[in-house]
Amino acid sequence: MALDLETRDQLVDTVRRFVSERLRPLEAKVAEDDAMPPELVEEMKGLGLFGLSIPEAYGGLDLSMEDECLVAIELGRTSPAFRSTFGTNVGIGSQGLVMFGTEAQKQKYLPGIASGEIITSFALTEPEAGSDSANVQTRAVLDGDCYVLNGSKRFITNANKADLFTVMARSDPSKAGAGGVSAFLVERTLPGLSVGKPEKKMGQQGAHICDVVFDNVRVPVENRLGRDGEGFKVAMQVLDRGRLHISAVCIGVAERLIKDCVAYAAERKQFGQPLSGFQLIQGMIADSKTESLAARALTLETARQRDAGQSVTMEAAAAKYFASEMVGRVADRAVQIFGGAGYVADHGIERLYRDVRIFRIYEGTSQIQQVVIARETLKRGG
């Protein structure tokens, strides 16, 4: 639901101040500790950040896609690890339930997800099924009133904190590809479910990814999400929204980096004048600004189209592809503008350089976005 302009502006301003006053000062500490301070998580709950996309009827803010993107841009102005704390509740960990859940499922889980009492996770990726999401090998065998799940998932965000997993598993082995995959709501407390240790990562310390193993986990039939064989449909519709959210976060990071570059270039002197006076520096700033503006325009326009009920599979893929590649280029230029100061940890530029690299990989690699964009363009005839 779209907020009125005054309410939306108030929300965006509140998030902007929270990012500036509370999150940015803690970036280095969170990265060093690889942990999120519990009191900060409670503040996030109090602001309603865990329920941005959850319908009001279940305790959420029920933001439109455009409003969510505007909030996500503000959240992108700090370390992406902060957003990841509640990001799965807002996106891939909850939206399958919002879009395809029964009323009983929604009543049971959504209020807790919106409040942050329930942390969600989206378990799709496997050792041999990441980009090829229709090829999941985790099995779900119907046995009476339960499905028995066996298999493993890899690189699952927030798995070590999650209370509820949306799991993609093959329920009909006779069907190859997407047709045999179903989606399930799997509670962490079910016997046979185990979570591995957090992986050591290139960036985004404070946000964790882990393996999840299912060993004869009995999941009640009523916890299937949608109809049998609809899992791929669930995943793809969830990812359309998630890709726009990630695009907006990329824009926020890029805008923060540009602002940092402008401030540094104005104060740092070389050859008797500020860096900002050199045209080659100006060229890097101009390229970064132009690309960030283009990403913002594409993302917000696509969000408005989605809010209007249009299919945006191609446009969402294009936005995620462009924005994630764009922020990588902006981060690289930022290191160049800062020079040696950008390579050391003092300014946080090298940390953001590492942080943004994952945006080109998760929720669909850039190469998968290219496949989606080409497929949809050919389907539409241009």
Side-chain angles (χ1 to χ4, degrees), residues 167-242:
V167 181
M168 299 295 149
R170 187 161 299 282
S171 57
D172 187 350
S174 68
K175 294 181 179 178
V181 176
S182 297
F184 301 92
L185 299 168
V186 183
E187 296 179 10
R188 185 197 187 94
T189 54
L190 291 178
L193 190 157
S194 60
V195 177
K197 293 190 301 184
E199 302 279 357
K200 292 183 178 180
K201 309 192 308 303
M202 178 180 182
Q204 295 203 25
Q205 279 68 39
H208 300 140
I209 58 174
C210 312
D211 286 356
V212 183
V213 176
F214 304 91
D215 183 8
N216 290 319
V217 178
R218 296 185 67 83
V219 180
V221 169
E222 59 263 28
N223 274 35
R224 189 183 66 218
L225 196 55
R227 293 191 294 269
D228 194 82
E230 268 195 340
F232 189 75
K233 177 182 176 183
V234 171
M236 292 305 99
Q237 291 199 25
V238 166
L239 288 172
D240 276 355
R241 182 171 189 132

Side-chain angles (χ1 to χ4, degrees), residues 215-273:
D215 183 8
N216 290 319
V217 178
R218 296 185 67 83
V219 180
V221 169
E222 59 263 28
N223 274 35
R224 189 183 66 218
L225 196 55
R227 293 191 294 269
D228 194 82
E230 268 195 340
F232 189 75
K233 177 182 176 183
V234 171
M236 292 305 99
Q237 291 199 25
V238 166
L239 288 172
D240 276 355
R241 182 171 189 132
R243 285 167 179 168
L244 286 172
H245 181 101
I246 293 298
S247 300
V249 175
C250 291
I251 295 161
V253 178
E255 291 182 353
R256 181 257 179 87
L257 284 166
I258 293 167
K259 189 170 184 179
D260 288 352
C261 286
V262 168
Y264 185 78
E267 68 178 31
R268 172 69 169 162
K269 288 185 169 58
Q270 286 286 298
F271 306 104
Q273 65 171 308

Side-chain angles (χ1 to χ4, degrees), residues 291-311:
E291 290 187 49
S292 72
L293 287 171
R296 177 184 268 263
L298 173 58
T299 299
L300 293 180
E301 173 60 22
T302 302
R304 287 189 285 268
Q305 291 176 356
R306 188 183 186 281
D307 287 334
Q310 299 177 34
S311 173

